[in-house]
Every structure is written in C-alpha cells, then in structure tokens.
C-alpha cells in the first residue's frame, strides 16, 4: 500500500480513490471509505463507546485482565458494531466469524471448541487450525456475544472480529513479533555458542576458574532474553494448558527449556555442574524458525481464502434521478441501478441492462476466458466487467449475494473436521502424556546409570517427540485441497467431502440439466409438403416468437420475423398467422384440427415431436430434444478410467434415457423414476456396498442428493438443491468432477503420508534420544524439520490442477 492510500478508520478497508469522507476525532481528521462507516463511527462515539476503537486495535496478544478491559467487550453487543461481522440465521440464531490469536496447535483448537461449545447460549464453535478462523453460532437471547468473547479470553486467547483486511494486519503483526523473537534467539544463540566453545576448549586444556566463571555469567546474561522473551510463547501456552488440564506440545517444550535454564542458573551461582545455555538458546532458535516457516505457510493458505472476499468492492456508483452517486456497497438494495466501468468488479448480484459485454468469472468458476453477456443476463457480484461501461440492476443486497453465500459455505466446510482429523487430534493429546511419562522413565533410568548425562538425555526425549507434525498432518492438507477445488470451480460445503469423494465407488447422474444442458433445441425437421427445411423453420420461429413456452426457445436461432398474430392453447400448442397463412404447431391432434383429415404418424425416433400444419394439411414434423453438455462424453470416460461405475437415474422416458446413455457410453441407467424412487434406488445400491456420488440439479433431486454419501449440485440447480448438496459445481463443467476425485484421492494419500511420516519419525527418534545418540539441539532441528516436511507435503496440493 502506498503512502497516498488510506485505510478506513472504522472498517480498515482501503478508501477508494476520489472518496473524501472525513470526521474529526480527538483533533485528528480520520478518513472513511463510505458514509455508512462514518455514520457507524459517529453512533459509537456518540454513545460514549470511544474505547471500542482502542480495544479493537489492541492486537498485541495481551488478554485483558481488569474489569475495565472486560467491560469494553460489551461494546460488541451493539448492533452497529455487530453489523460488521455478525449475520442473523433463518432460525433466529446469530453467526459470527473471528480470527483467534494465540493458537499454536491442535490442542489449542480442541480446548477452544470444548470450552466455548459448553458455554450457555453457544450452539457451535468451530476453529480452523490452518488459518485460525473461528465460526461461532449462538442464541442471542441466552447469552450476549460479549460473554462468549470473555470466555475465549478467559482461557488465554484473543478473539478479533473477522475481516479480510484486518486479518492481513494481524498476520503482519504476528509475523513482525515472530521475526523479533527469532532475531533475538539467533543473535543470542551465536554469542552463547562462541562462549560455549571456549568452555569446551577450557575443559580440554584447563581454563582458570575465574575465566570459566566469567564466561558462565556472560552466557547467563546473553541467554536470559532468549528464554524470557523469545521463548515466552511456549511458557504462556504451557501455563494455559496446565490450568485447563489439557496437554499440548508446549508443555514438554517448556519443561525442557525452563528446566535446562534453571539448572544452568543453579550451576552458575553455585559454580558446580554443567551449564546448558548453548543448548537452551539453540533449541529455542530452531523451534522458533520451524514455527516461523509453519506460520508463513498458514498465512499463505489463509490469504488465498481471503482473495474471494476481497473481490467484492467497497463502494459502487449508483444511478438515480440525481445522476451518479458513489455509495457503499452495503447501501445497495434490490432495484438499484449501478454503473460498472471496464476493469471494475460488479458490486452485487444483478441483471445486465446494457446490450452486451464480457464478464471475467475466473475467480468464481475457474473459467479462464471472459464470458459473453447480453441484455437481461444475470451477473454475479464480485466478477469483473471486461469490455465497456455497463449498467446493472441489483437483484440482491451484498450480504445476500451469491459471493457471500459461497464464503459462508467455505467457512463451514473448513470448520467441519473429517473423522481422520478428529482421530489425529485425540492421538496427539494422548501422545503428549505418553511423552512426559516416557521422559520421566528415561530420566530416572539414566540417573541410575550415568547421572551427569541424565538431564540432557531427558531434555532430548522431551523435545524430539513433540507431536507437532502429527497435529499438522491433516488440517494443512485439507485446507490446501479445499482451496484448490474452489479455484477449479467446485465449491466444497461440507467437511467430509474430500474423504467421501476419494472413497466413492459409483457416480450417478441426473439427466436433464446435469448431463444435458437443460435447454431444448431443434434436433431434426421433416418436411411433409415439399417446402425447404429453412423455410419451415423460419415459419415455425415466426409463430413461436409469440409464445412464452420453454419449447419456443428451440426455434429462437431461426427467428427472422414475428407472426402477425398468435394464440396460445395451454397444454396443446400455438396458432398464429403470417401473411394471411394460418399455422398451428403443437401436439398432433391439436395441429390436425385446422385441416380436414387426421394427423400423420411421426417417424420412429426418440424426442418431443411437434406437428406443424396449415389449413391445407400437415406441413412438417419437428423433433425437439435436450442437448448433451459438450464435455459430458469425456467426463464419463474419465470417471470410468478411474475405476468408477457410472450410472444415470432420471425421471424422463425410457427411450430418451436410453438414447442419452448410449451416446455417453453409460451401461447402468433407470428411467421413469419419481424423486422418492431415486432415493430408494440409491439406498438399495448403498446397502449393496456401493459408495455413491450423486450429481443433480433440480428440486426433484433434493431427496437423493441428501441420501447419497456424497452429492454435487450443478451451478444452475435450485437454491434448495445447492443447500442440500455437499458441494456445488460452480463452473458447470462436468470434467471438474473426475479432476476433483483425483485431487481427493491425492489428498488422502498426502494425509496418510503425513501421519505415517510423523509416526515413523517419533518411533525412530524416541529410542535414539533415550539412548543418548541425539543432543538437544539435534532434537530441536529434527522436530522442526518433521513439521516442515508435513506442511511442505500438503502445499503440493495448492499447485495441483
């Protein structure tokens, strides 16, 4: 951000260029991105709640302990403040998203979810270990939000209301603190190591006692800030874990660092025994550098998720009777008309009111090329206008937009844990208890065998077996994979999707709107009176242009001139007049009523047959049909090549279903199925051992989407179908399904590799440390390296295409 760019005083978003909205606060002119933020600020200050901004900006990691600080949390009960990060759900409960500061590992997540989830009023509390984002659903009549935030603070964590820009600021603050601690630990380690080398040489070649004492005291002075400042996060977390009676890796780390430091102080003051200032400093440095790289990877995945939220602009140009007015996006409401210039994002969902343009939907669907849009087409908020300035009529407010719904679904999917993640969390917790017991046994044993080595060997055991890699194995892989799926156009809305996709044995499709485009088209024309096909289709298009029936769209490509008059007969067809010629199109019996005689028999082909006639007799047969999606054949072949059984369940006629199945190479299909029949069929197949992935789009597919192990709704599906499905194919490209299954299988492999690596590392390192072959500094490097291997392995999923 350049110096000329300003952040909004209230919401911390960038102030758009050309916007000059200011307010004097405590003698200083503050800038705002929109009038609404200034109004909210005036409301907060006018209510005497000026401490809100001081508290909001307090991101130094210190939790409030005084009554005054706790009272400041009551500001978050204000509707004006909650409007920034809280939304009301359909059942009257509320949902808030936070970024939790102070999380170190899976044990922190377990503690937060267990503690907050048991508070009065809290209905659910899910925390994502990868990006430290938490989703709280609570009943506002049973508990105010401030009480639940106090509960989070009471166990040592700091909740910050989630906003993408503010999250980035927190990332910067966390990174800055990590660099400070790393720098102090690194400089201290180098100095102490040089003095330790002198002590080792002195032991070999006899060093005078006063020089040894001087070096020990100097080492003590240099190592003290390393322990008290650089290693402080380990001690803070360990004290919290002990207070809440839940063990994490910070407990053995703190015991190791604190124990070695205290033992060294005793040796320094009493001039007896060995000092471990070098081991303590080196251990702390390598631990911090491992956490730093882990933090960088976590920030990378978190910011990747924020890219979607940042697509929505902060302001929009509204067109009204007074001309063009720059307004905040939050003020837009259905019916408003906005101006969107080329290269700018569309502020909310709406309808295009310009002849044509191109829209870049790549961030939403994964489609690399801009999509052509015409007058009356729907456009999605957050997508980018490419060609020319356009006018858009808003159809839904920003908080009800499709982009907001996608963000909510993504947060829910990332917050829900699959079974393997919950098992890994429990194993990691028990593992720490096992480490402490093992370290105690090793220490007692070595004290009996060789007391002078007992301390550092115990130290090595404590360090080398910390289960960081085990805790990171699953969440890093899941977060990376869900982000990659979103980029290719498959929006995951449930946490179990990756597991169930990877284990699927069968894929069943609905037909209309899923394997086909769902748009009727003219497949064939049979002339009955010798007129040319071109003349017949133009004549039919002229009559059908006066109809609103879906079948009429099949003739739209042939339209040149409209009929002089037309009358629609519901359920039968349409009668029109062109240049004095009366035409009927529709069911054979209906069309045959305007001439003497009966309707001819139609050719023996599948499809919807329409007869066109005039007063002299029948003149043409038209066959209308739904068209296959262009990529459907390749998608089915790729799924079959993955060893999956591919089938089709449809409510359409058997003849039409057989034709589609034959064109696609699908052997298993059933037609004439009612919605409940589809569900019964899927249940029966699942009872036979199949693990079914169901793909559908309509309201009639909702029962079967709900009943299948895994379900995907097409982008054009009804809102209810999308809500019922486990994932939404935003790009409407069926080739993304085999791609997603391959990614899900790779994710499962990476999770198993990560867990296997973590377990093998600990099983190999523990006996080596217990038998004295690993020094404490080697243990610190090994533990950090094992975590980096796990994170680096998971990051391979981000580049997967």
């Amino acid at each position: 951000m350049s110096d000329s760019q300003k952040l909004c005083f209230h919401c911390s978003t960038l102030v758009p260029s050309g916007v000059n909205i200011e307010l004097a606060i405590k003698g200083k002119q503050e800038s705002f991105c929109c009038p609404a933020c200034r109004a909210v600020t005036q409301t907060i200050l006018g209510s005497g709640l000026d401490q809100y901004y001081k508290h909001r900006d307090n991101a130094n990691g210190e939790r409030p302990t005084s009554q005054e600080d706790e009272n400041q949390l009551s500001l978050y009960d204000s509707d004006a403040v909650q409007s920034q990060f809280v939304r009301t759900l359909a059942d009257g409960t509320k949902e808030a998203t936070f970024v939790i500061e102070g999380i170190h590992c899976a044990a922190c997540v377990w503690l937060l979810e267990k503690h907050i989830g048991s508070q009065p009023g809290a209905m659910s509390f899910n925390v994502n270990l990868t990006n430290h984002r938490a989703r709280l659903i609570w009943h506002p009549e049973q508990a105010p939000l401030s009480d639940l935030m106090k509960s989070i603070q009471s166990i040592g964590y700091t909740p910050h209301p989630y906003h993408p820009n503010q999250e980035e600021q927190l990332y910067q603050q966390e990174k800055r603190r990590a660099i400070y601690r790393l720098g102090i630990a690194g400089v201290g380690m180098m100095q102490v190591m040089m003095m330790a080398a002198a002590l080792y040489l002195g032991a070999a070649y006899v060093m005078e006692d006063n020089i040894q004492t001087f070096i020990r005291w100097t080492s003590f002075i240099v190592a003290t800030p390393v322990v008290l400042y650089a290693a402080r996060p380990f001690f803070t977390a360990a004290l919290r874990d002990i207070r809440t009676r839940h063990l994490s890796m910070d407990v053995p780390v703190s015991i190791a660092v604190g124990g070695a430091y205290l033992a060294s102080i005793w040796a320094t003051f009493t001039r007896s025994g060995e000092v471990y200032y070098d081991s303590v400093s080196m251990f702390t440095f390598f631990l911090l550098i491992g956490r730093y790289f882990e933090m960088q990877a976590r920030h990378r995945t978190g910011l990747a998720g924020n890219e979607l939220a940042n697509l929505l602009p902060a302001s929009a140009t509204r067109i009204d009777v007074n001309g063009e007015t720059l307004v905040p996006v939050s003020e837009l409401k259905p019916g408003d008309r906005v101006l969107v210039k080329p290269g700018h994002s569309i502020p909310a969902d709406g309808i295009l009111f310009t002849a044509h343009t191109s829209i870049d939907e790549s961030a939403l669907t994964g489609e690399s090329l801009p999509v052509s849009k015409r007058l009356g087409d729907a456009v999605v908020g957050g997508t980018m206008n490419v060609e020319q300035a356009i006018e858009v009529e808003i159809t839904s407010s920003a908080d009800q937009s499709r982009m907001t719904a996608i963000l909510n679904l993504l947060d829910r999917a990332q917050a829900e844990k699959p079974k393997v993640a919950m098992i890994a969390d429990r194993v990691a917790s028990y593992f720490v208890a096992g480490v402490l017991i093992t370290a105690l046994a090793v220490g007692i044993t070595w004290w009996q065998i060789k007391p002078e080595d007992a301390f550092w060997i115990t130290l090595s055991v404590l360090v080398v077996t910390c289960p960081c890699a085990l805790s990171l194995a699953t969440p890093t892989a899941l977060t990376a994979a869900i982000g990659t799926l979103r980029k290719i156009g498959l929006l995951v809305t449930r946490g179990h999707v990756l597991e169930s996709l990877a284990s699927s044995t069968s894929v069943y499709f609905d037909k209309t709107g899923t394997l086909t485009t769902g748009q009727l088209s003219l497949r064939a024309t049979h002339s009955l009176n010798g007129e040319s096909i071109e003349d017949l289709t133009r004549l039919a298009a002229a009559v059908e242009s006066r109809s609103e029936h879906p079948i009429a769209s099949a003739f739209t490509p042939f339209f040149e001139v409209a009929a002089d008059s037309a009358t629609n007969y519901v359920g039968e067809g349409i009668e029109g007049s062109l240049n004095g010629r009366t035409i009927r199109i529709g069911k054979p019996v209906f069309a045959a009523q305007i001439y003497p005689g009966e309707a001819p028999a139609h050719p023996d082909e599948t499809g919807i047959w329409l007869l066109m006639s005039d007063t002299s007799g029948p003149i043409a047969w038209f066959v209308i049909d739904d068209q296959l999606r262009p990529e459907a054949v390749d998608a089915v072949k790729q799924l079959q090549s993955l060893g999956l059984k591919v089938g089709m369940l449809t409510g359409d006629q058997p003849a039409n279903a057989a034709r589609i199945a034959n064109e696609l190479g699908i052997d298993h299909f059933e037609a004439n199925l009612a919605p409940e029949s589809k569900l019964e069929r899927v249940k029966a197949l699942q009872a036979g051992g199949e693990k079914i992935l169901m793909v559908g789009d309509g309201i009639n597919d909702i029962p079967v989407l709900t009943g299948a192990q895994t379900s995907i709704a097409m982008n054009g599906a009804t809102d209810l179908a999308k809500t019922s499905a486990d994932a939404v194919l935003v790009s409407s490209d069926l080739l993304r399904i085999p791609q997603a299954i391959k990614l899900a299988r790779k994710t499962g492999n990476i999770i198993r590799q990560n867990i296997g690596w973590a377990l093998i590392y600990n099983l190999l390192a523990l006996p080596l440390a217990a038998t004295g072959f690993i020094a404490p500094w080697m243990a610190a490097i090994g533990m950090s390296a094992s975590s980096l291997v796990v994170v680096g392995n998971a990051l391979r999923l981000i580049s997967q295409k």
Side-chain angles (χ1 to χ4, degrees):
M1 186 178 71
S2 65
D3 294 338
S4 60
Q5 291 178 302
K6 298 177 181 177
L7 294 178
C8 175
F9 177 77
H10 179 70
C11 69
S12 301
T13 58
L14 279 177
V15 177
S17 59
V19 174
N20 186 26
I21 304 172
E22 295 184 333
L23 179 68
I25 300 175
K26 296 183 177 179
K28 181 182 178 184
Q29 288 296 119
E30 301 289 356
S31 299
F32 296 84
C33 66
C34 61
C37 282
R38 183 174 63 179
V40 171
T41 300
Q42 288 175 320
T43 302
I44 292 173
L45 298 179
S47 304
L49 306 178
D50 55 324
Q51 291 298 311
Y52 161 72
Y53 292 104
K54 177 183 176 183
H55 176 71
R56 182 196 63 178
D57 297 334
N58 176 24
N60 58 8
E62 296 177 358
R63 66 185 180 90
T65 55
S66 68
Q67 187 62 40
E68 180 183 1
D69 289 338
E70 291 184 0
N71 289 340
Q72 290 178 8
L73 288 179
S74 62
L75 301 175
Y76 286 103
D77 296 330
S78 162
D79 290 338
V81 177
Q82 287 191 5
S83 65
Q84 302 290 318
F85 65 102
V86 174
R87 69 188 187 105
T88 303
L89 304 181
D91 59 357
T93 58
K94 291 194 173 186
E95 180 185 82
T97 305
F98 297 99
V99 176
I100 306 296
E101 191 176 354
I103 292 176
H104 297 294
C105 61
C108 298
V109 174
W110 180 90
L111 174 63
L112 278 163
E113 293 180 346
K114 185 177 178 64
H115 180 71
I116 304 304
S118 64
Q119 298 301 309
M123 301 180 68
S124 72
F125 188 70
N126 297 307
V127 183
N128 186 318
L129 174 61
T130 306
N131 54 26
H132 294 184
R133 213 174 291 165
R135 179 168 165 265
L136 168 68
I137 298 178
W138 85 102
H139 204 299
E141 295 180 357
Q142 296 179 12
L145 180 59
S146 58
D147 282 359
L148 297 170
M149 294 178 72
K150 287 174 189 172
S151 298
I152 297 174
Q153 290 194 336
S154 68
I155 53 175
Y157 302 92
T158 305
H160 299 279
Y162 168 70
H163 189 281
N165 287 335
Q166 192 164 1
E167 187 177 52
E168 290 183 29
Q169 292 177 17
L170 289 172
Y171 284 169
Q172 292 298 324
Q173 291 166 355
E174 183 183 3
K175 182 179 179 181
R176 191 162 49 245
R177 286 197 300 272
I179 291 176
Y180 288 157
R181 295 185 196 282
L182 194 58
I184 289 176
V187 171
M189 178 192 70
M190 288 187 287
Q191 300 302 317
V192 173
M193 287 297 294
M194 286 190 293
M195 288 182 276
L199 284 177
Y200 296 146
L201 291 174
Y205 297 100
V206 183
M207 180 182 289
E208 294 181 7
D209 288 344
N210 58 340
I211 296 178
Q212 284 194 26
T213 301
F214 173 77
I215 292 177
R216 287 187 171 201
W217 276 97
T218 306
S219 299
F220 163 67
I221 294 172
V222 175
T224 296
V226 175
V227 175
L228 298 186
Y229 177 73
R232 180 182 172 187
F234 301 113
F235 296 120
T236 304
L239 288 173
R240 178 193 59 223
D241 294 338
I242 292 171
R243 192 170 64 246
T244 55
R245 299 180 180 179
H246 182 76
L247 296 176
S248 74
M249 61 156 286
D250 291 307
V251 175
V253 166
S254 299
I255 292 174
V257 174
Y261 180 66
L262 292 175
S264 300
I265 292 176
W266 173 263
T268 302
F269 276 82
T270 60
R271 297 184 179 182
S272 62
E274 299 294 333
V275 293
Y276 304 97
Y277 297 122
D278 54 335
S279 296
V280 168
S281 301
M282 185 180 294
F283 177 43
T284 302
F285 174 75
F286 283 119
L287 278 176
L288 289 177
I289 201 169
R291 283 200 171 182
Y292 178 78
F293 286 123
E294 174 201 325
M295 178 194 68
Q296 289 283 75
R298 176 166 51 79
H299 287 182
R300 182 180 168 189
T301 54
L303 292 176
N306 289 345
E307 291 175 2
L308 198 60
N310 289 329
L311 291 176
L312 287 173
S315 60
T317 304
R318 185 168 60 194
I319 303 173
D320 51 26
V321 293
N322 299 319
E324 298 177 1
T325 309
L326 191 66
V327 299
V329 169
S330 57
E331 285 189 5
L332 293 179
K333 56 183 183 300
D336 285 349
R337 192 170 293 190
V338 296
L339 176 69
V340 184
K341 296 178 181 177
H344 288 205
S345 295
I346 298 172
D349 297 353
I351 300 294
L352 183 63
F353 259 74
T354 304
H356 65 86
T357 189
S358 295
I359 303 295
D360 182 356
E361 298 182 341
S362 57
L364 191 65
T365 66
E367 174 59 50
S368 57
L369 297 176
V371 179
S372 179
K373 297 285 184 180
R374 296 187 176 278
L375 177 68
D377 285 352
V379 292
V380 180
T383 56
M384 183 180 292
N385 176 34
V386 175
E387 279 190 12
Q388 57 185 326
I390 59 173
E391 291 186 17
V392 174
E393 183 174 297
I394 303 301
T395 55
S396 63
S397 57
D399 59 345
Q400 299 294 326
S401 68
R402 187 174 167 200
M403 190 69 73
T404 303
I406 288 174
L407 286 168
N408 291 331
L409 291 173
L410 271 178
D411 282 342
R412 184 179 69 179
Q414 292 183 346
E416 291 178 354
K417 290 187 177 66
K419 289 180 183 175
V420 64
M422 291 188 282
I423 293 173
D425 289 350
R426 284 199 295 271
V427 169
S429 178
Y430 292 126
F431 196 89
V432 172
V435 166
L436 292 177
I437 295 172
T438 303
L440 180 63
V442 169
I444 293 173
T445 302
W446 275 96
W447 187 261
Q448 303 297 325
I449 300 171
K450 197 174 182 182
E452 63 272 23
D453 291 339
F455 183 81
W456 70 264
I457 289 176
T458 305
L459 190 67
S460 298
V461 170
L462 284 171
V463 174
V464 82
T465 52
C466 283
C468 300
L470 190 61
S471 300
L472 289 169
T474 303
T476 49
L478 291 178
T479 301
I482 289 175
T484 301
L485 287 176
R486 182 191 65 76
K487 287 182 178 178
I488 67 173
L490 182 67
L491 179 66
V492 174
T493 65
R494 296 285 195 281
H496 69 84
V497 168
L498 286 167
E499 271 186 319
S500 54
L501 268 182
S503 62
S504 296
T505 60
S506 309
V507 182
Y508 281 85
F509 291 92
D510 170 52
K511 185 179 79 67
T512 306
T514 304
L515 289 171
T516 66
T517 61
Q519 297 175 348
L520 296 175
S521 62
L522 182 61
R523 181 153 61 90
T525 303
H526 297 264
S527 175
L528 299 177
N529 65 351
E531 287 188 69
S532 68
I533 300 300
E534 291 75 13
D535 290 342
L536 291 170
T537 51
R538 279 196 294 268
L539 183 60
V543 177
E544 291 288 355
S545 67
R546 309 296 293 267
S547 172
E548 297 295 330
H549 194 279
I551 286 179
S553 63
F555 295 92
T556 302
F558 311 100
F559 174 77
E560 290 185 358
V561 61
D564 300 327
S565 62
T567 303
N568 287 285
Y569 295 85
V570 178
E572 298 295 335
I574 184 171
E575 180 181 308
S577 175
L578 181 65
N579 299 327
R581 187 180 183 185
T582 301
I583 301 294
R584 273 197 175 191
I585 307 174
K587 291 182 176 178
V589 174
F590 168 75
Q593 289 173 355
I594 63 169
Y595 64 86
E598 297 182 353
H602 65 71
D604 187 18
E605 294 181 30
T606 59
I608 302 173
W609 285 93
L610 302 177
L611 179 64
M612 182 167 73
S613 63
D614 59 12
T615 52
S616 62
I619 56 178
W621 279 111
F622 297 107
V623 58
I624 308 296
D625 210 347
D626 197 0
Q627 295 299 300
L628 280 178
R629 292 183 184 274
E631 77 282 4
V633 174
D634 288 340
V636 170
K637 285 182 180 176
Q638 289 189 24
L639 289 169
Q640 290 170 336
S641 69
L642 292 174
L644 296 167
K645 174 183 173 184
V646 180
M648 181 173 67
L649 303 176
T650 176
D652 203 351
Q653 297 299 314
N656 293 331
R659 182 180 64 82
I660 294 294
N662 183 53
E663 291 181 14
L664 292 173
I666 294 177
D667 298 327
H668 313 278
F669 72 91
E670 295 187 39
N672 260 340
L673 293 177
E676 58 274 22
S677 301
K678 287 185 180 180
L679 178 60
E680 290 173 2
R681 188 63 192 135
V682 164
K683 291 290 185 187
L685 291 168
Q686 289 178 160
E690 292 188 30
K691 295 181 178 179
I692 292 178
L693 164 61
M694 185 70 207
V695 187
D697 73 317
I699 292 177
N700 61 330
D701 294 324
I702 293 173
V704 72
L705 288 174
T706 307
Q709 265 110 355
T710 318
S711 55
I712 296 177
M714 300 297 289
N715 185 39
T718 62
D719 290 341
L720 195 54
K722 291 178 182 176
T723 307
S724 304
D726 300 320
V728 179
L729 192 60
V730 181
S731 65
S732 293
D733 183 354
L734 293 176
L735 289 173
R736 304 302 187 190
I737 296 177
Q739 197 173 353
I741 292 175
K742 285 190 280 188
L743 182 66
R745 290 179 177 179
K746 184 170 183 177
T747 304
N749 289 335
I750 284 182
I751 289 175
R752 284 188 287 275
Q753 290 168 7
N754 284 349
I755 292 177
W757 161 256
L759 291 175
I760 290 173
Y761 160 77
N762 282 289
L763 290 175
L764 291 177
L766 179 58
L768 290 174
T771 51
F773 287 99
I774 296 180
W777 65 271
M778 295 179 185
I781 293 176
M783 192 202 70
S784 300
S786 66
S787 298
L788 292 178
V789 167
V790 165
V791 174
N793 197 28
L795 289 179
R796 290 194 295 135
L797 294 167
I798 291 180
S799 59
Q800 184 78 14
K801 296 291 183 185

